Amino acid sequence: MAETRTLKIGIHGRNDYNYPESDYQMVKRARIEAIKGMSYTGPQVYQRLQRDNQNLEVIIRLDWAERVNERGHPSPEEFRDRFVPVMNNLRSVTTKFEVLNEPNHSTRIGGWGPTRADAENFNAWFLRVYELLKAACPWALIGYPGLAIPHGDFPDGDLGWVEVTRSAVNRADWLCVHCYWQTPPGQPENAQNHLSDAWGLRFKAYHQKFPDKIIDITEFGNSNGQSGYTLADGDMARQYIEYYQELFKYPYLNSASAFIASSPDPTWNSQGFSWVRPDGSFRKVVEAVGDMPRPPLVPAAVEEEAFVDPETGRRIVGLFLRFYQKYGLDICGRPITDRFMENGMPSQYFQRIALEEYESGKARLKLVGSEALASRDTIKALREQIGQLSQGMGIIGPPPIQDITDSLPHHPTKQYGTRALDQITLISINHTATGPTITPQRIAEVQVNQQGRPGISYHYFIAADGTIYQTNALTTVSEHTGQFSPESVGIGFAGNFTTDIPTDAQLGSGGRLCAYLLQTLHLNLEAIKGASELIQTQSPGLQWLQGRRWKDTLLEQTRAALAAGGPAVDLESLRRRIAELEGEVAQQKAEIARLEAQIAVTPPPVVARPAIEDVTDKLPRHETLQYQSRSVDSIQILVMHHSAVPASVGVERIASYYVQNLQWPGIGFHYFITAEGRILQTNALTTVSYHAKDADPVSVGICLAGNFTDVMPPAQQLDAAAQLCTWLLQELKLPIEAIKGHKDYVVTQCPGNQWDGGSNWRQALLDKVKAIQASLAAVPVSPAAKPLEHYVLFWQYPDSWAQKDWEGAENYIGRFRPTCGFSLDDALRARYVTIIGGPLGVSTEVEQLLRQSGCIVERIAGADEAKTKKILDDLAKKGQRFLTIVPA
Ligand SMILES: [Zn+2]
């Protein structure tokens, strides 16, 4: 048995307003630790359960009782208006709320529907609902609902559906999963469906997709009864105990709730789900679960702080999030992947950079940019071609291809992922299932504008007249063959081949294209498949494998093209192309080195702590009442107030008003700023004082002395407020949007009409905070940290190098022993760089790059190699390392 566990033993509560007495007894007897309840159940039920059972966790499903479908889906605003009062009413028992239930079910039984379009619709709806609920109840944790399994139009059911809603799952605070299994009679003796990955342990597949999410299994059970099989009480008890014991092994599981305690609907009892029978007696499982061994409970790993990009829906966490917060959108661009494993390292791609965690807790930039990735792949392919050519092997040149990739419609925000060419193992043949005259332009329009795809699905499009169009780079992972898309090249043949087959011209071009791809990608004929051989689809038409069997024709044409070989390729032009591409890669590397150097030396800008006088212990406090306390991590908002009395009324008098007149534990605010700009601390940040109702637990109260109904705060007071706010934003790691007015949360005049109207001191405050932040960002960058002291850089080309200069530098090198070589990459890491020879060798661009990255650079170049040697020899003789530089 596991030594500790994170999993709480849960039960799905009765779907009713009230619970019968027997349900309360069952929860005690089974020693239930978590209950998943319905939003329409009365709060008194949960309050009693928590009184009776110490530490019982409550998770509430926000349930649209009359079913989502009957009047169409509720709008996000309707959903908010309905549930915010419910959530506030339940706040004393829980913070966790699951949004609806099994949305991938057909609309008939309360879902959104099983198709991709339904999933996309739900994704957008959930994101909006999340935003609205969080704005109204910042303390609440919003869960993505459990899906019906396996259910949906995708090859892998719920898992395909949830993938489409990835940004919703990422945004959610936690993830619900449903796990059901059946044990039909006549199954093999050893069938263990409750312990199989496809059924009882289906949550493992969700964890694979969303490894950072804490999972609550909000429904599980043996559903034999739904298919008319029986389940003996004893078997049920045994399976459920084995199941809970297995779940103890997964530290990302927080709870698992068996469906269902009891129900007013007798079906759930007759089908064998209910733990309590209608007569109040218990099934065997109750006693068995109550008596089973339980390792000590420890909390599930707290989910890491995360940022979800509003445009790409990708999620940034941990080390990469700290990097992103530090360097921002300008340097990184938006995240275009979630964190994933690449080359054995956690990695994440952004629009401008990519990061990898090469050691635990240490991140570095990796070489990227789609161009650089493509360049590396092309270099590899070209080198192989040169190798083959020099061995006298014939190679197949590409057939005429019109590259229209950039001119086709693309989605304004969505982007396909990318891949390396060696990930490709298949060529997937599709038909457009339209008339043969359809253009790639038209297909792309439909796929992007109507289906919301990032771009056209194919890599190549072959028109009826045999013209081949390239429509995506081979490194692009476009969606054309379901789960096989990442490893396949998609070729679309224009036409519908249900009864017809492609034209001779199309088949001829198709054969040449396939031959070229097979050779370039090192694949054999087996790699050519119809989409229908890989996934469930009609494409590329019934005539592919039956009737006129055009697969055979295409393979014949491919074989013929392979046998014919192709036009000879000019070796020299290949070499030139490689040199060009290597130049591009070198540029990228240099850019990375420059960014890394910048990162290594940029001191984190620090806002100085303003002068704060702590009067917390000197103010009047209530004799018996005390405020609750909190962790500073829970603070999300700074709430501004005015004292609403003349500024001459001091903090002492205000505090005693709260304590004596209002009977509060102490003054409501954390800080009080006098008209002269003195900042007083009046409560610890860890104190949950009263000043903004629902926002109290997550906010800091800052009060400016005075009444700002008709006038705005004086300059020195506003300056002090700006300094305090800027410092707090830094210390609490909050964005500037965290600065709010009291009236943003509660119906009140505070902090005065001039806050957001009239002289608008809200804007004045924000402008001052921004100005302080900007002045910090402008801190000058100190010289880059450079591991090498002095590098002497010589030029080289693929076919020649600075041999004479190298020989001429012999005395100089012998005298000063610098690091020498031809690598820009290495030179970038040196404090001083000596370039030998004129700009026809090492170019002025490279020189410029070195200077930009913080190197101190000197070029030594005579009129010819002999003159250069003379300069170097003179320096060596004089013992002077540099011509013009005076070393520090
Ligand atoms: Zn106020």
Side-chain angles (χ1 to χ4, degrees):
M1 197 171 70
E3 278 182 24
T4 59
R5 64 183 167 115
T6 60
L7 184 98
K8 300 187 188 90
I9 306 298
I11 186 85
H12 188 299
R14 183 179 173 93
N15 47 343
D16 206 350
Y17 180 75
N18 258 318
Y19 288 5
E21 187 59 29
S22 47
D23 279 25
Y24 292 109
Q25 298 311 322
M26 181 276 285
V27 166
K28 273 197 209 165
R29 180 63 189 91
R31 293 200 291 141
I32 293 296
E33 295 159 333
I35 191 152
K36 180 261 182 94
M38 310 299 278
S39 51
Y40 49 79
T41 301
Q44 79 285 352
V45 169
Y46 302 119
Q47 281 157 4
R48 167 157 175 205
L49 283 166
Q50 287 185 328
R51 271 200 311 277
D52 290 357
N53 306 274
Q54 220 185 355
N55 298 326
L56 180 86
E57 176 166 358
V58 174
I59 297 173
I60 297 293
R61 166 169 137 198
L62 298 177
D63 197 70
W64 200 259
E66 63 267 31
R67 296 283 181 178
V68 167
N69 58 313
E70 288 179 9
R71 287 182 298 114
H73 306 152
S75 74
E77 289 73 19
E78 285 173 324
F79 192 86
R80 171 198 58 194
D81 293 347
R82 174 144 179 179
F83 285 117
V84 164
V86 175
M87 290 163 70
N88 281 324
N89 200 25
L90 288 168
R91 186 174 174 183
S92 63
V93 296
T94 188
T95 56
K96 283 180 87 168
F97 299 91
E98 177 178 5
V99 173
L100 292 174
N101 182 54
E102 303 195 341
N104 61 328
H105 251 318
S106 72
T107 50
R108 188 175 49 81
I109 40 180
W112 239 251
T115 68
R116 168 180 285 271
D118 297 325
E120 283 171 354
N121 184 280
F122 179 76
N123 186 54
W125 182 90
F126 182 94
L127 289 171
R128 180 72 182 135
V129 163
Y130 180 93
E131 195 183 325
L132 293 173
L133 294 183
K134 277 290 202 190
C137 305
W139 48 270
L141 298 170
I142 311 298
Y144 179 97
L147 298 183
I149 59 167
H151 203 288
D153 270 2
F154 297 95
D156 51 355
D158 53 313
L159 295 176
W161 208 91
V162 78
E163 186 59 44
V164 177
T165 62
R166 175 167 280 274
S167 45
V169 179
N170 277 341
R171 187 73 56 88
D173 298 313
W174 50 291
L175 172 61
C176 307
V177 176
H178 289 180
C179 300
Y180 284 96
W181 66 86
Q182 293 192 349
T183 46
Q187 256 194 341
E189 275 293 289
N190 56 358
Q192 297 269 65
N193 282 343
H194 58 307
L195 304 180
S196 93
D197 287 355
W199 299 106
L201 308 186
R202 195 166 187 85
F203 62 85
K204 286 163 77 174
Y206 284 81
H207 176 66
Q208 282 243 303
K209 280 182 179 293
F210 306 103
D212 302 320
K213 286 282 162 198
I214 297 296
I215 293 177
D216 283 277
I217 300 173
T218 44
E219 289 185 22
F220 79 82
N222 183 315
S223 63
N224 272 7
Q226 287 193 313
S227 298
Y229 313 129
T230 51
L231 175 64
D233 260 13
D235 289 339
M236 177 191 183
R238 176 184 54 79
Q239 279 176 22
Y240 283 31
I241 286 187
E242 286 175 359
Y243 188 63
Y244 280 126
Q245 298 289 332
E246 173 68 21
L247 298 191
F248 290 165
K249 298 176 189 162
Y250 304 91
Y252 53 86
L253 293 180
N254 177 65
S255 72
S257 291
F259 185 84
I260 185 172
S262 74
S263 175
D265 177 351
T267 328
W268 299 121
N269 182 60
S270 60
Q271 290 183 351
F273 286 107
S274 303
W275 287 28
V276 182
R277 299 189 190 90
D279 65 5
S281 64
F282 299 166
R283 279 208 161 80
K284 282 189 178 151
V285 66
V286 173
E287 192 166 288
V289 168
D291 293 344
M292 74 179 179
R294 302 181 185 195
L297 190 61
V298 297
V302 175
E303 188 179 327
E304 289 177 275
E305 184 196 355
F307 169 77
V308 178
D309 185 274
E311 279 190 20
T312 65
R314 299 297 178 172
R315 188 168 183 278
I316 320 174
V317 294
L319 193 59
F320 298 160
L321 178 60
R322 291 202 288 283
F323 187 98
Y324 181 79
Q325 285 169 335
K326 192 163 165 193
Y327 297 103
L329 193 59
D330 285 351
I331 285 192
C332 305
R334 298 187 181 284
I336 54 175
T337 68
D338 286 337
R339 186 168 63 176
F340 69 108
M341 292 300 282
E342 187 174 60
N343 302 323
M345 286 176 268
S347 303
Q348 184 161 26
Y349 283 69
F350 296 75
Q351 285 167 324
R352 302 207 177 89
I353 60 161
L355 295 172
E356 60 192 10
E357 187 171 358
Y358 62 102
E359 262 176 46
S360 178
K362 291 186 184 170
R364 69 183 176 203
L365 293 163
K366 68 161 84 187
L367 180 58
V368 272
S370 49
E371 304 97 302
L373 275 178
S375 296
R376 283 198 305 197
D377 291 332
T378 315
I379 288 172
K380 200 170 141 211
L382 289 172
R383 280 194 195 290
E384 281 167 12
Q385 283 192 26
I386 288 177
Q388 285 167 339
L389 278 177
S390 45
Q391 289 163 29
M393 287 168 59
I395 66 159
I396 296 158
I401 297 173
Q402 292 188 31
D403 188 346
I404 55 170
T405 309
D406 292 336
S407 67
L408 291 178
H410 286 93
H411 195 279
T413 54
K414 293 186 201 165
Q415 266 188 324
Y416 285 127
T418 57
R419 63 183 171 195
L421 292 182
D422 58 13
Q423 284 172 251
I424 302 174
T425 62
L426 292 167
I427 295 176
S428 168
I429 308 295
N430 299 263
H431 70 166
T432 56
T434 61
T437 54
I438 187 104
T439 60
Q441 192 76 27
R442 179 70 192 129
I443 297 265
E445 275 166 20
V446 171
Q447 291 184 333
V448 172
N449 299 338
Q450 292 177 21
Q451 300 173 0
R453 300 193 193 207
I456 193 168
S457 57
Y458 312 123
H459 293 91
Y460 296 97
F461 179 96
I462 304 185
D465 67 2
T467 308
I468 306 174
Y469 297 97
Q470 176 139 25
T471 52
N472 268 308
L474 282 175
T475 46
T476 298
V477 181
S478 55
E479 294 157 11
H480 47 81
T481 313
Q483 72 271 36
F484 291 96
S485 296
E487 56 178 290
S488 56
V489 177
I491 303 181
F493 283 71
N496 186 327
F497 309 124
T498 309
T499 55
D500 206 357
I501 65 167
T503 63
D504 289 347
Q506 263 177 311
L507 288 166
S509 296
R512 282 193 296 280
L513 178 61
C514 285
Y516 167 67
L517 290 172
L518 292 182
Q519 162 130 2
T520 313
L521 300 169
H522 311 290
L523 304 175
N524 59 37
L525 283 166
E526 292 294 299
I528 301 175
K529 298 268 197 251
S532 57
E533 294 174 75
L534 298 167
I535 59 167
Q536 221 169 357
T537 172
Q538 291 285 322
S539 184
L542 292 174
Q543 300 296 317
W544 173 250
L545 295 176
Q546 301 163 29
R548 298 169 66 188
R549 300 174 59 91
W550 66 278
K551 179 175 186 178
D552 295 346
T553 320
L554 182 66
L555 291 183
E556 253 165 56
Q557 296 279 359
T558 307
R559 270 191 215 101
L562 283 170
V569 175
D570 171 10
L571 204 56
E572 269 322 294
S573 69
L574 283 179
R575 289 220 163 101
R576 269 201 305 279
R577 181 70 189 131
I578 287 189
E580 274 172 38
L581 291 169
E582 282 181 337
E584 280 173 27
V585 173
Q587 288 254 333
Q588 294 265 348
K589 282 190 176 166
E591 178 64 5
I592 285 177
R594 191 184 67 77
L595 289 170
E596 278 184 337
Q598 200 178 330
I599 286 159
V601 300
T602 309
V606 175
V607 183
R609 183 180 190 273
I612 299 173
E613 213 175 307
D614 189 350
V615 297
T616 308
D617 296 334
K618 298 177 190 148
L619 295 178
R621 299 273 155 193
H622 197 279
E623 280 174 23
T624 52
L625 297 176
Q626 269 194 341
Y627 282 128
Q628 295 196 322
S629 61
R630 64 179 170 195
S631 149
V632 175
D633 295 341
S634 54
I635 300 174
Q636 294 166 20
I637 311 161
L638 309 182
V639 178
M640 309 304 296
H641 303 268
H642 66 166
S643 65
V645 290
S648 56
V649 178
V651 70
E652 288 266 344
R653 265 185 63 194
I654 291 176
S656 65
Y657 170 78
Y658 281 123
V659 174
Q660 284 166 21
N661 300 46
L662 300 183
Q663 291 287 305
W664 286 8
I667 193 168
F669 317 114
H670 295 87
Y671 296 96
F672 185 86
I673 302 178
T674 69
E676 300 76 41
R678 273 172 64 217
I679 305 173
L680 309 177
Q681 177 142 25
T682 52
N683 270 307
L685 283 176
T686 48
T687 299
V688 183
S689 54
Y690 304 155
H691 64 95
K693 293 258 170 69
D694 286 351
D696 288 342
V698 296
S699 64
V700 175
I702 301 173
C703 180
L704 276 65
N707 185 324
F708 308 125
T709 307
D710 300 318
V711 294
M712 70 184 278
Q716 63 273 23
Q717 191 178 25
L718 203 54
D719 282 339
Q723 277 169 15
L724 176 64
C725 287
T726 316
W727 179 70
L728 285 170
L729 292 180
Q730 167 187 280
E731 298 298 302
L732 300 169
K733 301 187 186 65
L734 299 176
I736 192 166
E737 292 75 24
I739 301 176
K740 302 282 189 194
H742 188 184
K743 58 170 74 168
D744 291 334
Y745 292 93
V746 183
V747 180
T748 170
Q749 294 289 317
C750 180
N753 291 337
Q754 302 296 315
W755 165 252
D756 44 3
S759 52
N760 198 341
W761 66 276
R762 175 178 179 278
Q763 195 54 51
L765 176 66
L766 294 182
D767 288 348
K768 281 179 194 288
V769 169
K770 280 183 203 153
I772 299 173
Q773 288 176 338
S775 72
L776 290 161
V779 169
V781 175
S782 63
K786 302 281 190 186
L788 295 177
E789 180 66 17
H790 182 199
Y791 191 90
V792 180
L793 179 63
F794 295 85
W795 60 269
Q796 65 163 344
Y797 288 120
D799 50 356
S800 57
W801 64 288
Q803 194 171 358
K804 286 220 174 99
D805 283 335
W806 182 275
E807 289 161 3
E810 196 184 344
N811 293 329
Y812 179 88
I813 294 167
R815 178 73 178 77
F816 301 112
R817 309 289 170 91
T819 308
C820 301
F822 309 93
S823 162
L824 170 60
D825 224 355
D826 292 345
L828 284 163
R829 292 165 199 280
R831 190 156 171 224
Y832 297 99
V833 178
T834 304
I835 298 171
I836 305 292
L840 287 177
V842 175
S843 68
T844 48
E845 285 80 0
V846 167
E847 184 178 347
Q848 190 66 23
L849 202 61
L850 286 163
R851 288 186 201 282
Q852 278 169 8
S853 74
C855 303
I856 301 169
V857 185
E858 178 177 81
R859 186 189 286 273
I860 296 183
D864 56 30
E865 283 108 345
K867 303 260 164 54
T868 305
K869 176 173 164 55
K870 172 92 174 53
I871 300 170
L872 291 169
D873 284 347
D874 284 346
L875 288 173
K877 210 178 292 173
K878 283 192 271 183
Q880 182 186 330
R881 189 184 278 261
F882 302 108
L883 204 53
T884 54
I885 301 169
V886 181

